[in-house]
Amino acid sequence: ELPITPIKGQMLELGWPEEIPPLAFSLISEKYIVMTRERKSCLVGATFERDFSSAEADLERAKREILPKILSYFPVLKEAPLLSCRAAFRAYAPNRLPLVGKISDKLYYFTGLGSKGLLYHAWIAKMVARAMLTKDPSHLPNELYHH
């Protein structure tokens, strides 16, 4: 019964050009570039698809939506070999904020982080833990609490 929508996100894995040192940190603009662990390839993405007909990766759509934006600020990847295309889903709430709530004394939920989950997860997790330990849901922020 939660008001969340699945959003399909796709990313591409590109081979890293040998003549360029690996990035020391990720680059984020409209789309992101993240080095893989072995630093011989990078992940670029992601799409934000509300309308989709399949959970499978759609290589042509991913390339069309991701590559022009990546190449606009990092053109050295233009000739990078395409290694893979992956798709997954994230939960998205209508107000673009995560949802938290209490189902029972021992069961709370924390969902709808969307693509901004890294910004919110630790802060909200502390509040959810406090609410659970004190058995007091007033520790949950009103903006996120779904009754």
Side-chain angles (χ1 to χ4, degrees), residues 88-113:
F89 290 89
R90 52 193 180 260
Y92 192 74
N95 62 358
R96 297 185 179 194
L97 293 173
L99 298 173
V100 297
K102 178 180 176 182
I103 295 173
S104 70
D105 282 342
K106 295 183 179 184
L107 185 60
Y108 282 69
Y109 61 86
F110 174 19
T111 188
L113 279 82

Side-chain angles (χ1 to χ4, degrees), residues 74-85:
F74 208 78
V76 296
L77 291 177
K78 184 175 183 176
E79 301 301 322
L82 177 63
L83 304 177
S84 69
C85 179

Side-chain angles (χ1 to χ4, degrees), residues 17-84:
E18 290 182 17
E19 64 276 7
I20 300 169
L23 296 175
F25 48 85
S26 300
L27 299 178
I28 300 174
S29 182
E30 281 188 78
K31 303 294 180 193
Y32 60 80
I33 304 172
V34 177
M35 296 302 300
T36 57
R37 225 174 256 196
E38 63 279 347
R39 306 185 66 71
K40 297 197 182 303
S41 63
C42 66
L43 302 173
V44 297
T47 64
F48 185 90
E49 302 172 38
R50 292 176 190 266
D51 60 318
F52 51 87
S53 57
S54 168
E56 300 301 314
D58 178 348
L59 177 60
E60 292 309 312
R61 181 171 183 172
K63 287 187 336 187
R64 187 172 59 248
E65 291 187 24
I66 297 169
L67 291 178
K69 291 178 179 174
I70 291 294
L71 297 176
S72 72
Y73 73 92
F74 208 78
V76 296
L77 291 177
K78 184 175 183 176
E79 301 301 322
L82 177 63
L83 304 177
S84 69

